Amino acid sequence: MWRAIFERMAASINNRSFILHICVSILEAFYRNISGVYTIDFPDQPPLIFDYTNIKNSFDQNLLMTPKSTSLKRLRFNSTFQIVLQNTTLIGIENHPLHLHGVNFYVLAQGIGNYDAATTTSSFNLVNPQERNTLGVPVCEWAVFRFKANNPGKLILVII
């Protein structure tokens, strides 16, 4: 059974797919100091950069079969955190909603194609950005949002 789970294609962020531990919750492991449930080595950037909007990449096994882990990113309380979501053309070509539990975020920018920080950062809306808790990112598009990590506990990013 475990082999089937690890060989199954799944959604990913930074080329990693989340797998939930079956016996202990992340929050319980954190408060009870239980090791082996999760790691805190989630990458800041995707380790593999490619043309996210090129449909020819749809059947590249190196892109589809991402490592599965319970890998987290530790955020300092009250710090501001920015996330760039890039929707791809891999297999399931559809819009993907994003929802953060327990926190609202500000949408700084959205665009079509591959996100490029060098050309986009100057156009961020830092004056009156939309405040949301759910955002749809269409196929071949991207979105940049920020939030303040001021909700104690574990924040889980949900992409459906």
mmCIF file of all heavy atoms in Angstrom, residues 52-83:
data_model
loop_
_atom_site.group_PDB
_atom_site.id
_atom_site.type_symbol
_atom_site.label_atom_id
_atom_site.label_comp_id
_atom_site.label_asym_id
_atom_site.label_seq_id
_atom_site.Cartn_x
_atom_site.Cartn_y
_atom_site.Cartn_z
ATOM 1 N N TYR A 52 6.918 26.463 -16.909
ATOM 2 C CA TYR A 52 5.690 25.990 -16.276
ATOM 3 C C TYR A 52 4.475 26.040 -17.207
ATOM 4 O O TYR A 52 3.482 25.371 -16.952
ATOM 5 C CB TYR A 52 5.394 26.828 -15.028
ATOM 6 C CG TYR A 52 6.537 26.857 -14.054
ATOM 7 C CD1 TYR A 52 7.300 28.006 -13.881
ATOM 8 C CD2 TYR A 52 6.867 25.740 -13.305
ATOM 9 C CE1 TYR A 52 8.355 28.032 -12.980
ATOM 10 C CE2 TYR A 52 7.919 25.755 -12.403
ATOM 11 C CZ TYR A 52 8.659 26.909 -12.256
ATOM 12 O OH TYR A 52 9.708 26.925 -11.374
ATOM 13 N N THR A 53 4.544 26.828 -18.254
ATOM 14 C CA THR A 53 3.390 27.005 -19.134
ATOM 15 C C THR A 53 3.518 26.231 -20.450
ATOM 16 O O THR A 53 2.657 26.349 -21.308
ATOM 17 C CB THR A 53 3.180 28.501 -19.442
ATOM 18 O OG1 THR A 53 4.330 29.005 -20.096
ATOM 19 C CG2 THR A 53 2.923 29.276 -18.168
ATOM 20 N N ASN A 54 4.552 25.445 -20.610
ATOM 21 C CA ASN A 54 4.760 24.671 -21.836
ATOM 22 C C ASN A 54 4.048 23.330 -21.718
ATOM 23 O O ASN A 54 4.444 22.470 -20.939
ATOM 24 C CB ASN A 54 6.252 24.467 -22.081
ATOM 25 C CG ASN A 54 6.538 23.783 -23.400
ATOM 26 O OD1 ASN A 54 5.656 23.208 -24.036
ATOM 27 N ND2 ASN A 54 7.782 23.848 -23.820
ATOM 28 N N ILE A 55 3.022 23.135 -22.524
ATOM 29 C CA ILE A 55 2.218 21.909 -22.447
ATOM 30 C C ILE A 55 3.019 20.665 -22.817
ATOM 31 O O ILE A 55 2.660 19.547 -22.446
ATOM 32 C CB ILE A 55 0.941 22.037 -23.301
ATOM 33 C CG1 ILE A 55 -0.081 21.012 -22.847
ATOM 34 C CG2 ILE A 55 1.261 21.923 -24.774
ATOM 35 C CD1 ILE A 55 -1.497 21.362 -23.148
ATOM 36 N N LYS A 56 4.130 20.827 -23.491
ATOM 37 C CA LYS A 56 4.976 19.675 -23.852
ATOM 38 C C LYS A 56 5.596 19.019 -22.612
ATOM 39 O O LYS A 56 6.052 17.889 -22.674
ATOM 40 C CB LYS A 56 6.075 20.103 -24.825
ATOM 41 C CG LYS A 56 5.544 20.488 -26.186
ATOM 42 C CD LYS A 56 6.659 20.939 -27.097
ATOM 43 C CE LYS A 56 6.077 21.411 -28.420
ATOM 44 N NZ LYS A 56 7.102 21.946 -29.297
ATOM 45 N N ASN A 57 5.607 19.725 -21.489
ATOM 46 C CA ASN A 57 6.148 19.168 -20.246
ATOM 47 C C ASN A 57 5.152 18.264 -19.519
ATOM 48 O O ASN A 57 5.492 17.658 -18.508
ATOM 49 C CB ASN A 57 6.561 20.294 -19.298
ATOM 50 C CG ASN A 57 7.785 21.020 -19.774
ATOM 51 O OD1 ASN A 57 8.663 20.430 -20.383
ATOM 52 N ND2 ASN A 57 7.847 22.308 -19.504
ATOM 53 N N SER A 58 3.924 18.164 -20.040
ATOM 54 C CA SER A 58 2.854 17.449 -19.344
ATOM 55 C C SER A 58 3.141 15.998 -19.017
ATOM 56 O O SER A 58 2.553 15.451 -18.096
ATOM 57 C CB SER A 58 1.551 17.527 -20.141
ATOM 58 O OG SER A 58 1.005 18.802 -20.014
ATOM 59 N N PHE A 59 3.985 15.353 -19.782
ATOM 60 C CA PHE A 59 4.215 13.929 -19.538
ATOM 61 C C PHE A 59 5.662 13.621 -19.169
ATOM 62 O O PHE A 59 6.109 12.488 -19.280
ATOM 63 C CB PHE A 59 3.749 13.119 -20.740
ATOM 64 C CG PHE A 59 2.271 13.298 -20.981
ATOM 65 C CD1 PHE A 59 1.817 14.155 -21.971
ATOM 66 C CD2 PHE A 59 1.347 12.669 -20.172
ATOM 67 C CE1 PHE A 59 0.459 14.353 -22.165
ATOM 68 C CE2 PHE A 59 -0.010 12.863 -20.356
ATOM 69 C CZ PHE A 59 -0.461 13.700 -21.358
ATOM 70 N N ASP A 60 6.383 14.627 -18.704
ATOM 71 C CA ASP A 60 7.748 14.435 -18.237
ATOM 72 C C ASP A 60 7.694 13.842 -16.828
ATOM 73 O O ASP A 60 7.305 14.511 -15.872
ATOM 74 C CB ASP A 60 8.489 15.773 -18.232
ATOM 75 C CG ASP A 60 9.941 15.654 -17.828
ATOM 76 O OD1 ASP A 60 10.310 14.678 -17.143
ATOM 77 O OD2 ASP A 60 10.714 16.565 -18.179
ATOM 78 N N GLN A 61 8.074 12.585 -16.696
ATOM 79 C CA GLN A 61 7.985 11.878 -15.414
ATOM 80 C C GLN A 61 8.790 12.559 -14.308
ATOM 81 O O GLN A 61 8.434 12.465 -13.140
ATOM 82 C CB GLN A 61 8.443 10.423 -15.577
ATOM 83 C CG GLN A 61 7.500 9.594 -16.432
ATOM 84 C CD GLN A 61 6.109 9.516 -15.829
ATOM 85 O OE1 GLN A 61 5.937 9.175 -14.665
ATOM 86 N NE2 GLN A 61 5.092 9.853 -16.612
ATOM 87 N N ASN A 62 9.871 13.237 -14.660
ATOM 88 C CA ASN A 62 10.678 13.937 -13.652
ATOM 89 C C ASN A 62 9.910 15.092 -13.022
ATOM 90 O O ASN A 62 10.179 15.479 -11.893
ATOM 91 C CB ASN A 62 11.973 14.458 -14.257
ATOM 92 C CG ASN A 62 12.868 13.337 -14.713
ATOM 93 O OD1 ASN A 62 12.987 12.312 -14.050
ATOM 94 N ND2 ASN A 62 13.485 13.509 -15.871
ATOM 95 N N LEU A 63 8.956 15.652 -13.763
ATOM 96 C CA LEU A 63 8.154 16.756 -13.241
ATOM 97 C C LEU A 63 6.896 16.262 -12.545
ATOM 98 O O LEU A 63 6.417 16.885 -11.604
ATOM 99 C CB LEU A 63 7.774 17.704 -14.373
ATOM 100 C CG LEU A 63 8.922 18.354 -15.135
ATOM 101 C CD1 LEU A 63 8.390 19.182 -16.296
ATOM 102 C CD2 LEU A 63 9.762 19.204 -14.206
ATOM 103 N N LEU A 64 6.357 15.146 -13.023
ATOM 104 C CA LEU A 64 5.088 14.644 -12.497
ATOM 105 C C LEU A 64 5.233 13.912 -11.169
ATOM 106 O O LEU A 64 4.400 14.040 -10.288
ATOM 107 C CB LEU A 64 4.434 13.701 -13.510
ATOM 108 C CG LEU A 64 4.051 14.322 -14.848
ATOM 109 C CD1 LEU A 64 3.467 13.265 -15.762
ATOM 110 C CD2 LEU A 64 3.078 15.460 -14.654
ATOM 111 N N MET A 65 6.256 13.119 -11.038
ATOM 112 C CA MET A 65 6.420 12.280 -9.845
ATOM 113 C C MET A 65 7.349 12.979 -8.852
ATOM 114 O O MET A 65 8.547 12.749 -8.837
ATOM 115 C CB MET A 65 6.956 10.906 -10.241
ATOM 116 C CG MET A 65 6.094 10.204 -11.277
ATOM 117 S SD MET A 65 4.358 10.053 -10.815
ATOM 118 C CE MET A 65 4.440 8.709 -9.691
ATOM 119 N N THR A 66 6.783 13.850 -8.062
ATOM 120 C CA THR A 66 7.577 14.631 -7.106
ATOM 121 C C THR A 66 7.768 13.856 -5.806
ATOM 122 O O THR A 66 6.954 12.999 -5.457
ATOM 123 C CB THR A 66 6.873 15.960 -6.789
ATOM 124 O OG1 THR A 66 5.570 15.674 -6.286
ATOM 125 C CG2 THR A 66 6.752 16.824 -8.027
ATOM 126 N N PRO A 67 8.830 14.158 -5.065
ATOM 127 C CA PRO A 67 9.022 13.492 -3.766
ATOM 128 C C PRO A 67 7.872 13.814 -2.822
ATOM 129 O O PRO A 67 7.358 14.929 -2.809
ATOM 130 C CB PRO A 67 10.322 14.104 -3.243
ATOM 131 C CG PRO A 67 10.955 14.785 -4.390
ATOM 132 C CD PRO A 67 9.885 15.091 -5.379
ATOM 133 N N LYS A 68 7.460 12.831 -2.048
ATOM 134 C CA LYS A 68 6.381 13.012 -1.088
ATOM 135 C C LYS A 68 6.963 12.999 0.315
ATOM 136 O O LYS A 68 7.743 12.127 0.663
ATOM 137 C CB LYS A 68 5.343 11.923 -1.274
ATOM 138 C CG LYS A 68 4.591 12.165 -2.589
ATOM 139 C CD LYS A 68 3.977 10.959 -3.164
ATOM 140 C CE LYS A 68 3.293 11.258 -4.463
ATOM 141 N NZ LYS A 68 4.176 11.546 -5.556
ATOM 142 N N SER A 69 6.576 14.006 1.090
ATOM 143 C CA SER A 69 7.114 14.110 2.447
ATOM 144 C C SER A 69 6.203 14.992 3.286
ATOM 145 O O SER A 69 5.312 15.654 2.769
ATOM 146 C CB SER A 69 8.516 14.714 2.413
ATOM 147 O OG SER A 69 8.461 16.042 1.928
ATOM 148 N N THR A 70 6.437 14.993 4.575
ATOM 149 C CA THR A 70 5.772 15.920 5.477
ATOM 150 C C THR A 70 6.841 16.937 5.855
ATOM 151 O O THR A 70 7.438 16.894 6.918
ATOM 152 C CB THR A 70 5.216 15.184 6.712
ATOM 153 O OG1 THR A 70 4.437 14.085 6.253
ATOM 154 C CG2 THR A 70 4.328 16.097 7.536
ATOM 155 N N SER A 71 7.096 17.832 4.922
ATOM 156 C CA SER A 71 8.166 18.813 5.029
ATOM 157 C C SER A 71 7.544 20.185 5.262
ATOM 158 O O SER A 71 6.702 20.621 4.487
ATOM 159 C CB SER A 71 8.973 18.787 3.729
ATOM 160 O OG SER A 71 9.993 19.722 3.746
ATOM 161 N N LEU A 72 7.956 20.846 6.322
ATOM 162 C CA LEU A 72 7.352 22.122 6.718
ATOM 163 C C LEU A 72 8.350 23.262 6.662
ATOM 164 O O LEU A 72 9.556 23.065 6.614
ATOM 165 C CB LEU A 72 6.818 22.018 8.151
ATOM 166 C CG LEU A 72 5.901 20.850 8.470
ATOM 167 C CD1 LEU A 72 5.515 20.894 9.936
ATOM 168 C CD2 LEU A 72 4.675 20.858 7.584
ATOM 169 N N LYS A 73 7.819 24.471 6.714
ATOM 170 C CA LYS A 73 8.619 25.689 6.796
ATOM 171 C C LYS A 73 8.273 26.364 8.111
ATOM 172 O O LYS A 73 7.119 26.657 8.377
ATOM 173 C CB LYS A 73 8.275 26.604 5.617
ATOM 174 C CG LYS A 73 9.073 27.847 5.554
ATOM 175 C CD LYS A 73 10.443 27.466 5.241
ATOM 176 C CE LYS A 73 11.287 28.518 4.657
ATOM 177 N NZ LYS A 73 12.622 27.991 4.500
ATOM 178 N N ARG A 74 9.255 26.597 8.936
ATOM 179 C CA ARG A 74 9.031 27.258 10.228
ATOM 180 C C ARG A 74 9.036 28.768 10.000
ATOM 181 O O ARG A 74 9.968 29.315 9.413
ATOM 182 C CB ARG A 74 10.120 26.869 11.212
ATOM 183 C CG ARG A 74 9.830 27.315 12.622
ATOM 184 C CD ARG A 74 10.884 26.816 13.565
ATOM 185 N NE ARG A 74 10.887 25.361 13.601
ATOM 186 C CZ ARG A 74 10.496 24.645 14.651
ATOM 187 N NH1 ARG A 74 10.088 25.251 15.730
ATOM 188 N NH2 ARG A 74 10.524 23.336 14.626
ATOM 189 N N LEU A 75 7.994 29.446 10.478
ATOM 190 C CA LEU A 75 7.873 30.898 10.340
ATOM 191 C C LEU A 75 7.980 31.546 11.707
ATOM 192 O O LEU A 75 7.402 31.061 12.678
ATOM 193 C CB LEU A 75 6.526 31.267 9.714
ATOM 194 C CG LEU A 75 6.177 30.620 8.388
ATOM 195 C CD1 LEU A 75 4.798 31.070 7.943
ATOM 196 C CD2 LEU A 75 7.217 30.935 7.343
ATOM 197 N N ARG A 76 8.697 32.635 11.779
ATOM 198 C CA ARG A 76 8.793 33.378 13.027
ATOM 199 C C ARG A 76 7.462 34.083 13.275
ATOM 200 O O ARG A 76 6.874 34.688 12.374
ATOM 201 C CB ARG A 76 9.929 34.399 12.933
ATOM 202 C CG ARG A 76 10.339 34.962 14.270
ATOM 203 C CD ARG A 76 11.579 35.844 14.210
ATOM 204 N NE ARG A 76 12.629 35.241 13.394
ATOM 205 C CZ ARG A 76 13.198 35.852 12.359
ATOM 206 N NH1 ARG A 76 12.848 37.064 12.027
ATOM 207 N NH2 ARG A 76 14.138 35.253 11.674
ATOM 208 N N PHE A 77 6.967 34.010 14.499
ATOM 209 C CA PHE A 77 5.690 34.635 14.859
ATOM 210 C C PHE A 77 5.723 36.123 14.528
ATOM 211 O O PHE A 77 6.697 36.812 14.794
ATOM 212 C CB PHE A 77 5.400 34.425 16.350
ATOM 213 C CG PHE A 77 4.043 34.917 16.763
ATOM 214 C CD1 PHE A 77 2.907 34.234 16.403
ATOM 215 C CD2 PHE A 77 3.921 36.077 17.500
ATOM 216 C CE1 PHE A 77 1.651 34.679 16.775
ATOM 217 C CE2 PHE A 77 2.673 36.541 17.878
ATOM 218 C CZ PHE A 77 1.536 35.837 17.516
ATOM 219 N N ASN A 78 4.664 36.618 13.909
ATOM 220 C CA ASN A 78 4.478 38.002 13.476
ATOM 221 C C ASN A 78 5.350 38.409 12.293
ATOM 222 O O ASN A 78 5.408 39.589 11.946
ATOM 223 C CB ASN A 78 4.662 38.996 14.625
ATOM 224 C CG ASN A 78 3.354 39.290 15.316
ATOM 225 O OD1 ASN A 78 2.279 39.084 14.759
ATOM 226 N ND2 ASN A 78 3.418 39.754 16.543
ATOM 227 N N SER A 79 6.046 37.469 11.665
ATOM 228 C CA SER A 79 6.826 37.813 10.476
ATOM 229 C C SER A 79 5.896 37.884 9.263
ATOM 230 O O SER A 79 4.806 37.313 9.257
ATOM 231 C CB SER A 79 7.927 36.779 10.239
ATOM 232 O OG SER A 79 7.364 35.514 9.963
ATOM 233 N N THR A 80 6.316 38.622 8.261
ATOM 234 C CA THR A 80 5.570 38.706 7.013
ATOM 235 C C THR A 80 6.158 37.699 6.039
ATOM 236 O O THR A 80 7.373 37.624 5.867
ATOM 237 C CB THR A 80 5.650 40.130 6.430
ATOM 238 O OG1 THR A 80 5.085 41.036 7.389
ATOM 239 C CG2 THR A 80 4.888 40.244 5.128
ATOM 240 N N PHE A 81 5.284 36.943 5.421
ATOM 241 C CA PHE A 81 5.713 35.849 4.554
ATOM 242 C C PHE A 81 5.084 36.030 3.177
ATOM 243 O O PHE A 81 3.902 36.335 3.068
ATOM 244 C CB PHE A 81 5.283 34.521 5.183
ATOM 245 C CG PHE A 81 5.989 33.335 4.640
ATOM 246 C CD1 PHE A 81 7.327 33.106 4.915
ATOM 247 C CD2 PHE A 81 5.314 32.429 3.850
ATOM 248 C CE1 PHE A 81 7.984 31.997 4.417
ATOM 249 C CE2 PHE A 81 5.959 31.313 3.342
ATOM 250 C CZ PHE A 81 7.297 31.100 3.631
ATOM 251 N N GLN A 82 5.877 35.856 2.133
ATOM 252 C CA GLN A 82 5.397 36.015 0.753
ATOM 253 C C GLN A 82 5.465 34.683 0.022
ATOM 254 O O GLN A 82 6.444 33.955 0.136
ATOM 255 C CB GLN A 82 6.259 37.039 0.023
ATOM 256 C CG GLN A 82 5.857 37.234 -1.431
ATOM 257 C CD GLN A 82 6.615 38.368 -2.066
ATOM 258 O OE1 GLN A 82 6.500 39.502 -1.611
ATOM 259 N NE2 GLN A 82 7.378 38.078 -3.103
ATOM 260 N N ILE A 83 4.409 34.383 -0.722
ATOM 261 C CA ILE A 83 4.351 33.146 -1.513
ATOM 262 C C ILE A 83 3.991 33.495 -2.949
ATOM 263 O O ILE A 83 3.113 34.316 -3.199
ATOM 264 C CB ILE A 83 3.305 32.172 -0.934
ATOM 265 C CG1 ILE A 83 3.720 31.715 0.467
ATOM 266 C CG2 ILE A 83 3.124 30.962 -1.847
ATOM 267 C CD1 ILE A 83 2.741 30.788 1.138
#
